[in-house]
């Protein structure tokens, strides 16, 4: 599965690796994104989900808008496109 | 409205707003209007730690090796954090509990404040290890102009809300003259004060700690003051959770998911809320200048720290719908994220779970005469 990732520094096609979270796969590609707790409670890894679907591995506690996801505790279940602000 | 510790009106807490409805009566958690606060309580309790679990004795040796400018940075940050947690250990309780109307939020605020008192106790633990008598450090917190300036700015929103609530509870709505000063008390004004206070608390949890966190972790990157760094990691983990709670409150209001009047106030006071945040950013930058006035430390200087404040402010402000006012594209201190990762926060399970381990522990003091009968 592919994670099309938009950041302030560019757009990247990130392959998803089984066993990773979305955040881990993005980091494997050495794309700079923000993360703190990596456990769903701080919200630092928040991004917009522009298309596709994800599944939560941990119940997220951080505040997210309806069109946002936490990359530290989700996996993609389809190809997805996400945008970090 | 007079406060009552057990409101005998049979109300439905599921229809109460978070604040300024009926006072809470039954502390029940089988049903929740805003489930998030119950989840935050559970998470926060799972984080329980005690400062004494962290051995800070090596820090005493490291501290002696620091240059004078580094000692100034280290001690000033501890003073500032002591101030912040002195305020946070009491103020959410005093300002918010009398006006909260749902049990899960009431208990969240109590849990949150309790953890701030653990933080305060940990500063004593750190300082007592570094100085035989840390009195002069604590006494300077109310003398130091740089710290006092920040204290005034943080406490004023709390104090305003507390005073207005006291007038409302004793005299009700209306125009009241107290000691020659006139105060207009009505629900709209009270809610505005609450909104601004919540924004000030949110800014505090969001950025005010991060200049000192960065200095602490910069020492740890050089393998210095690592006991202190372990404690500050635990504090940072808690503060991230506290920040999540104020972000939820502000967003519940702004999105009209709680009290509709608070949604209007959020719109009306957006500029003031932005200014509270920007003012905190400026003060943190001034703090960085004060810290480095006697010289920098390896790995950090004033400029890079100011950029980091702007970077983190962008993230925190966009989380509550205030946009990203600063032009910083990359994290100037990427290693900070390793210290804020909750997986890297280690507390040995046997020490945290079995209470008898906490008493006595290991005596890590070794005197030279203990090697007296030691032959090579």
């Amino acid at each position: 599965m592919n994670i099309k990732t938009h950041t302030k520094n560019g757009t990247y096609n990130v392959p998803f690796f089984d066993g990773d979270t979305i955040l881990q796969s993005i980091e494997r590609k050495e794309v700079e994104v923000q993360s703190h707790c990596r456990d769903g409670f701080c919200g630092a890894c928040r991004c917009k989900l522009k298309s596709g679907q994800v599944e939560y591995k941990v119940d997220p506690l951080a505040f997210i808008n309806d069109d946002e996801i936490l990359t530290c505790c989700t996996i993609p279940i389809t190809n997805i496109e996400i945008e970090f602000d | 409205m007079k406060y009552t510790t057990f409101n005998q009106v049979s109300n439905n807490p599921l229809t109460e707003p978070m604040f300024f409805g009926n006072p809470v009566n039954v502390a029940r958690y089988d049903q929740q209007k805003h489930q998030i606060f119950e989840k935050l309580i559970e998470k926060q309790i799972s984080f329980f730690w005690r400062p004494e679990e962290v051995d800070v004795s090596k820090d005493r040796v490291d501290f002696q090796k620091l240059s004078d400018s580094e000692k100034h940075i280290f001690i000033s940050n501890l003073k500032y954090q002591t101030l912040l947690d002195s305020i946070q250990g009491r103020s959410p309780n005093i300002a918010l509990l009398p006006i909260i109307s749902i049990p899960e939020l009431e208990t969240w605020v109590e849990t949150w404040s309790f953890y701030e008192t653990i933080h305060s106790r940990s500063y004593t633990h750190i300082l007592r290890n570094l100085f035989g008598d840390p009195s002069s450090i604590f006494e300077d917190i109310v003398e130091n102009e740089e710290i006092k300036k920040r204290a005034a700015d943080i406490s004023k929103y709390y104090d305003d809300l507390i005073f207005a609530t006291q007038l409302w509870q004793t005299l009700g709505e209306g125009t009241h003259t107290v000691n020659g000063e006139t105060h207009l008390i009505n629900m709209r004004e009270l809610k505005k004060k609450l909104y601004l206070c919540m924004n000030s608390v949110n800014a505090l949890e969001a950025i005010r700690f991060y200049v000192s966190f960065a200095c602490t972790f910069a020492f740890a990157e050089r393998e210095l003051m690592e006991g202190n760094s372990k404690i500050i990691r635990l504090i940072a983990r808690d503060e991230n959770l506290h920040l999540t709670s104020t972000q939820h409150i502000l967003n519940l209001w702004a999105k009209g998911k709680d009290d509709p009047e608070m949604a209007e106030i959020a719109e009306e006071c957006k500029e003031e809320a932005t200014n509270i945040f920007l003012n905190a950013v400026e003060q943190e930058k001034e703090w960085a200048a004060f810290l480095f006035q006697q010289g920098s430390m390896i790995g950090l200087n004033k400029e890079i720290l100011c950029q980091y404040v702007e970077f983190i402010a962008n993230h925190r402000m966009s989380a509550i719908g205030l946009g990203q006012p600063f032009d910083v594209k990359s994290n100037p201190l990427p290693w900070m994220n390793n210290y804020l990762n909750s997986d890297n926060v280690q507390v040995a399970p046997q020490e945290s779970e079995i209470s008898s381990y906490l008493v006595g522990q290991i005596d890590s003091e070794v005197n030279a005469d203990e090697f007296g009968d030691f032959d090579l």
Side-chain angles (χ1 to χ4, degrees):
Chain A
M1 264 174 294
N2 187 57
I3 306 165
K4 191 167 187 184
T5 308
H6 304 277
T7 75
K8 277 185 178 168
N9 299 311
T11 296
Y12 311 84
N13 277 312
V14 175
F16 177 71
F17 286 86
D18 272 346
D20 276 2
T21 59
I22 293 174
L23 178 65
Q24 285 167 332
S25 282
I26 295 171
E27 287 172 340
R28 245 181 232 275
K29 212 41 189 157
E30 295 185 359
V31 176
E32 189 202 318
V33 286
Q34 180 73 344
S35 75
H36 285 173
C37 76
R38 305 175 82 90
D39 189 25
F41 66 82
C42 81
C45 65
R46 199 168 46 90
C47 72
K48 262 201 181 70
L49 178 64
K50 299 186 70 146
S51 69
Q53 286 177 306
V54 300
E55 186 183 302
Y56 275 92
K57 289 298 180 194
V58 172
D59 187 16
L61 297 190
F63 175 81
I64 35 173
N65 285 303
D66 295 340
D67 60 345
E68 290 174 333
I69 58 163
L70 295 176
T71 55
C72 75
C73 50
T74 43
I75 57 165
I77 51 175
T78 63
N79 286 333
I80 59 168
E81 186 174 353
I82 55 177
E83 183 179 4
F84 290 88
D85 60 22
Chain B
M1 189 162 74
K2 202 168 121 189
Y3 182 75
T4 170
T5 46
F6 192 82
N7 174 27
Q8 301 215 2
V9 175
S10 171
N11 65 318
N12 178 1
L14 297 178
T15 58
E16 293 288 339
M18 291 188 281
F19 297 90
F20 289 120
N22 277 295
V24 183
N25 45 29
V26 181
R28 59 182 290 187
Y29 314 99
D30 58 320
Q31 52 171 31
Q32 294 126 27
K33 182 178 184 194
H34 296 300
Q35 277 186 11
I36 183 64
F37 299 113
E38 174 67 10
K39 290 180 185 170
L40 289 169
I41 294 165
E42 282 174 5
K43 191 77 175 172
Q44 180 72 89
I45 291 173
S46 79
F47 286 172
F48 183 73
W49 60 281
R50 296 169 43 127
E52 298 78 13
E53 287 167 31
V54 182
D55 181 357
V56 288
S57 57
K58 188 180 158 284
D59 289 16
R60 192 183 181 115
V61 181
D62 289 349
F63 187 72
Q64 300 311 322
K65 287 191 281 191
L66 299 184
S67 67
D68 284 348
S69 61
E70 288 174 332
K71 280 183 184 162
H72 166 74
I73 293 168
F74 186 85
I75 293 300
S76 300
N77 277 326
L78 272 181
K79 286 178 190 169
Y80 184 27
Q81 285 188 246
T82 304
L83 164 84
L84 292 175
D85 280 311
S86 301
I87 293 175
Q88 285 302 90
R90 69 177 72 98
S91 312
N93 281 343
I94 297 170
L96 306 178
L97 291 183
I99 54 173
I100 285 177
S101 301
I102 56 173
E104 64 274 24
L105 179 57
E106 181 181 58
T107 308
W108 163 249
V109 168
E110 289 168 328
T111 309
W112 163 18
S113 289
F114 169 62
Y115 273 76
E116 306 287 15
T117 68
I118 297 181
H119 304 173
S120 296
R121 293 174 56 78
S122 68
Y123 304 134
T124 297
H125 178 59
I126 293 165
L127 285 167
R128 229 178 354 210
N129 170 63
L130 295 181
F131 305 96
D133 177 11
S135 296
S136 63
I137 308 288
F138 288 121
E139 283 157 11
D140 186 57
I141 295 171
V142 281
E143 303 287 336
N144 184 314
E145 288 304 323
E146 291 296 325
I147 293 179
K148 275 166 74 175
K149 202 160 78 183
R150 283 156 184 79
D153 214 63
I154 297 163
S155 56
K156 81 174 177 208
Y157 293 99
Y158 272 128
D159 295 352
D160 246 23
L161 174 63
I162 291 167
F163 185 64
T165 303
Q166 285 170 342
L167 286 182
W168 174 64
Q169 286 178 337
T170 48
L171 303 167
E173 293 193 24
T175 306
H176 308 300
T177 305
V178 181
N179 296 330
E181 271 185 48
T182 306
H183 304 273
L184 171 68
I185 302 294
N186 59 44
M187 194 37 74
R188 186 84 176 187
E189 284 303 308
L190 285 164
K191 286 183 179 177
K192 262 192 201 172
K193 286 184 195 304
L194 169 63
Y195 181 74
L196 295 178
C197 179
M198 197 59 73
N199 273 282
S200 161
V201 182
N202 178 68
L204 186 159
E205 303 276 3
I207 54 167
R208 284 199 191 265
F209 284 96
Y210 281 79
V211 165
S212 43
F213 286 169
C215 294
T216 295
F217 299 144
F219 282 120
E221 285 281 286
R222 292 160 57 200
E223 297 178 2
L224 291 171
M225 312 305 287
E226 287 180 302
N228 175 71
S229 158
K230 273 185 199 157
I231 287 181
I232 302 297
R233 275 189 207 183
L234 291 160
I235 292 176
R237 181 179 65 170
D238 293 338
E239 298 304 350
N240 251 332
L241 197 65
H242 304 165
L243 173 67
T244 287
S245 78
T246 53
Q247 288 177 344
H248 272 286
I249 292 170
L250 291 171
N251 279 306
L252 284 168
W253 282 337
K255 294 182 187 304
K257 290 181 181 169
D258 190 66
D259 176 352
E261 195 176 11
M262 288 308 285
E264 288 171 28
I265 290 169
E267 195 53 44
E268 198 180 303
C269 297
K270 196 169 179 178
E271 199 181 323
E272 242 175 303
T274 308
N275 287 337
I276 286 175
F277 225 111
L278 294 177
N279 193 26
V281 169
E282 278 318 303
Q283 285 194 347
E284 287 310 293
K285 290 183 186 170
E286 285 170 23
W287 181 251
F290 167 71
L291 289 178
F292 293 117
Q293 67 182 8
Q294 299 179 11
S296 292
M297 58 185 282
I298 297 169
L300 265 191
N301 59 40
K302 190 188 109 188
E303 283 67 34
I304 203 160
L305 209 41
C306 289
Q307 279 174 23
Y308 185 71
V309 173
E310 292 188 351
F311 172 78
I312 200 124
N314 267 351
H315 275 267
R316 306 313 203 189
M317 288 178 79
S318 75
I320 51 165
L322 297 181
Q324 297 204 355
F326 302 104
D327 183 29
V328 198
K329 283 193 177 134
S330 300
N331 183 353
L333 302 174
W335 45 262
M336 277 287 284
N337 292 351
N338 301 334
Y339 292 91
L340 299 166
N341 175 352
S342 58
D343 282 350
N344 290 344
V345 177
Q346 286 183 351
V347 178
Q350 72 275 22
E351 289 179 359
S352 58
E353 287 167 13
I354 304 172
S355 61
S356 58
Y357 270 84
L358 300 172
V359 185
Q361 296 188 41
I362 297 166
D363 180 4
S364 49
E365 270 210 49
V366 180
N367 295 316
D369 55 2
E370 278 163 55
F371 294 100
D373 57 349
F374 197 84
D375 284 324
L376 283 176

